[in-house]
Amino acid sequence: MKKKTLIIDDIKKEEKKQFIIKLIILLVIFVICVFIGIYMLNVYLVNKEFSEDIAKISKLNTETIFSIDRIYMYSSADAKSNETNKPIWDLDIFQYTDIALYINNREEEGISYENTIKSLTIDNIKFNGLETGTASLYYKNVNDFGKLSNIEENKIDNSLNFNIINSGEVDYAKPELYSNCQNPITLEYVNSNMKEETKISDISSPLIYDGSLLKKGGILLNNIKCTISFRITIINYYNQKFVATAYIDVPLEDTFNNNSIYDGKMIKNIENTNIIKFIRVE
């Protein structure tokens, strides 16, 4: 009888154990389902918010208000001499590219608060693909376009805010723009420290301070290729916000026409509608 009771107790313990195991499994499944449900809900909400943002931006951009329709660039090189009156030139060489960005504000359709600039900022500057040298971006006085300026006070460290002029004369020595986009944004890209103590021993021909310095200095174009990118933010007089990101390849060679900056200079003029289109975000 006692043995029979022990067997019954063992059976009950086993049943209780199985019940607890099943309960734990159910709880684990429940917790997993809860986490999956929360994850799916978050995915749904993110997608819904993204879709709403896309729809909002699409609605705000039924027509183009601002765009960059022309980019003009001039690339060359210059140098500072470290030694004088010696048959071997010791130079610090700078490769530079002057950039002019022309904003189209559809002025021919009439001037209004919508297509008139209240503020313009350049930020989020990046230099992509550069292997050799130290890249910097400066504001450029348009009157000095086509020659190295490299003015330290004009260097853009984080961002550049333009002073917007409604009437009167623009001071081109400062970052100023007419509110009706009459003058271009002018910038200067400079690549320095490409080669330490560049010594040029070939004195068979005169030393010309232009892009040919790169060839004489043994600086390979593949090593100084660079794509400059930066964000441009415009606020108009309705306080609407427009944003565009510019991607600019530094012009160093033209394989189609078989010429390069080694020949002295490179000029590139890009003209097209909406090369860079500003998207209204607010």
Side-chain angles (χ1 to χ4, degrees):
M1 186 71 179
K2 186 176 180 180
K3 186 176 181 181
K4 186 177 180 180
T5 302
L6 290 173
I7 293 173
I8 292 172
D9 289 341
D10 289 340
I11 292 172
K12 288 182 178 180
K13 286 180 181 179
E14 184 63 27
E15 289 177 347
K16 186 177 181 181
K17 181 180 178 182
Q18 292 296 324
F19 174 77
I20 293 172
I21 291 173
K22 290 178 181 179
L23 184 61
I24 291 172
I25 292 172
L26 288 173
L27 286 172
V28 170
I29 293 172
F30 175 76
V31 170
I32 291 172
C33 289
V34 169
F35 275 110
I36 291 174
I38 293 172
Y39 171 78
M40 295 301 293
L41 179 62
N42 285 334
V43 169
Y44 169 76
L45 292 174
V46 168
N47 288 337
K48 184 174 182 290
E49 184 178 358
F50 178 74
S51 299
E52 289 173 352
D53 288 342
I54 293 297
K56 178 183 176 182
I57 291 173
S58 178
K59 186 177 180 180
L60 293 175
N61 291 276
T62 53
E63 59 180 340
T64 301
I65 306 300
F66 299 103
S67 65
I68 292 173
D69 291 1
R70 183 188 179 197
I71 303 174
Y72 184 86
M73 291 173 282
Y74 179 97
S75 288
S76 190
D78 207 334
K80 292 191 297 186
S81 179
N82 295 323
E83 298 181 3
T84 56
N85 301 321
K86 290 189 177 182
I88 297 177
W89 287 292
D90 184 358
L91 302 174
D92 287 334
I93 299 177
F94 302 83
Q95 188 277 308
Y96 69 93
T97 299
D98 289 343
I99 305 166
L101 304 169
Y102 294 80
I103 298 176
N104 181 358
N105 68 335
R106 279 66 189 167
E107 184 178 7
E108 68 279 1
E109 299 174 9
I111 293 294
S112 66
Y113 277 9
E114 186 175 38
N115 65 353
T116 304
I117 295 177
K118 184 177 180 182
S119 71
L120 187 145
T121 302
I122 290 176
D123 62 4
N124 199 31
I125 301 165
K126 297 178 182 177
F127 306 102
N128 308 295
L130 184 67
E131 294 183 12
T132 302
T134 303
S136 303
L137 191 66
Y138 299 79
Y139 167 72
K140 181 80 174 192
N141 185 332
V142 69
N143 295 317
D144 296 329
F145 205 89
K147 60 183 179 180
L148 178 68
S149 297
N150 199 20
I151 300 174
E152 190 61 29
E153 64 186 40
N154 288 341
K155 185 178 179 180
I156 308 171
D157 291 320
N158 298 309
S159 63
L160 176 65
N161 296 310
F162 281 80
N163 183 33
I164 305 302
I165 305 298
N166 292 311
S167 61
E169 296 293 325
V170 163
D171 183 357
Y172 291 110
K174 301 176 183 178
E176 296 186 346
L177 287 173
Y178 282 112
S179 59
N180 63 354
C181 309
Q182 183 178 335
N183 60 309
I185 298 170
T186 46
L187 305 170
E188 180 179 59
Y189 162 81
V190 177
N191 186 7
S192 57
N193 304 318
M194 292 176 288
K195 193 174 182 181
E196 293 184 4
E197 298 181 355
T198 305
K199 297 184 184 296
I200 299 174
S201 57
D202 180 7
I203 58 173
S204 60
S205 59
L207 188 67
I208 301 173
Y209 283 70
D210 61 12
S212 62
L213 288 171
L214 300 171
K215 186 175 182 179
K216 284 181 176 289
I219 297 171
L220 300 178
L221 299 186
N222 280 338
N223 293 341
I224 60 172
K225 285 182 178 179
C226 181
T227 299
I228 313 162
S229 66
F230 49 85
R231 179 173 56 201
I232 307 173
T233 302
I234 291 175
I235 305 293
N236 67 8
Y237 271 85
Y238 281 138
N239 289 320
Q240 297 167 339
K241 184 176 181 181
F242 299 81
V243 176
T245 300
Y247 293 92
I248 298 173
D249 294 325
V250 174
L252 298 175
E253 57 185 335
D254 183 349
T255 54
F256 183 78
N257 293 308
N258 196 29
N259 63 341
S260 75
I261 194 172
Y262 283 160
D263 300 317
K265 63 184 179 182
M266 277 288 298
I267 295 175
K268 189 171 185 178
N269 183 43
I270 306 170
E271 289 189 79
N272 205 347
T273 303
N274 295 342
I275 298 172
I276 302 172
K277 182 179 177 180
F278 286 83
I279 303 299
R280 184 184 162 192
V281 294
E282 293 180 7

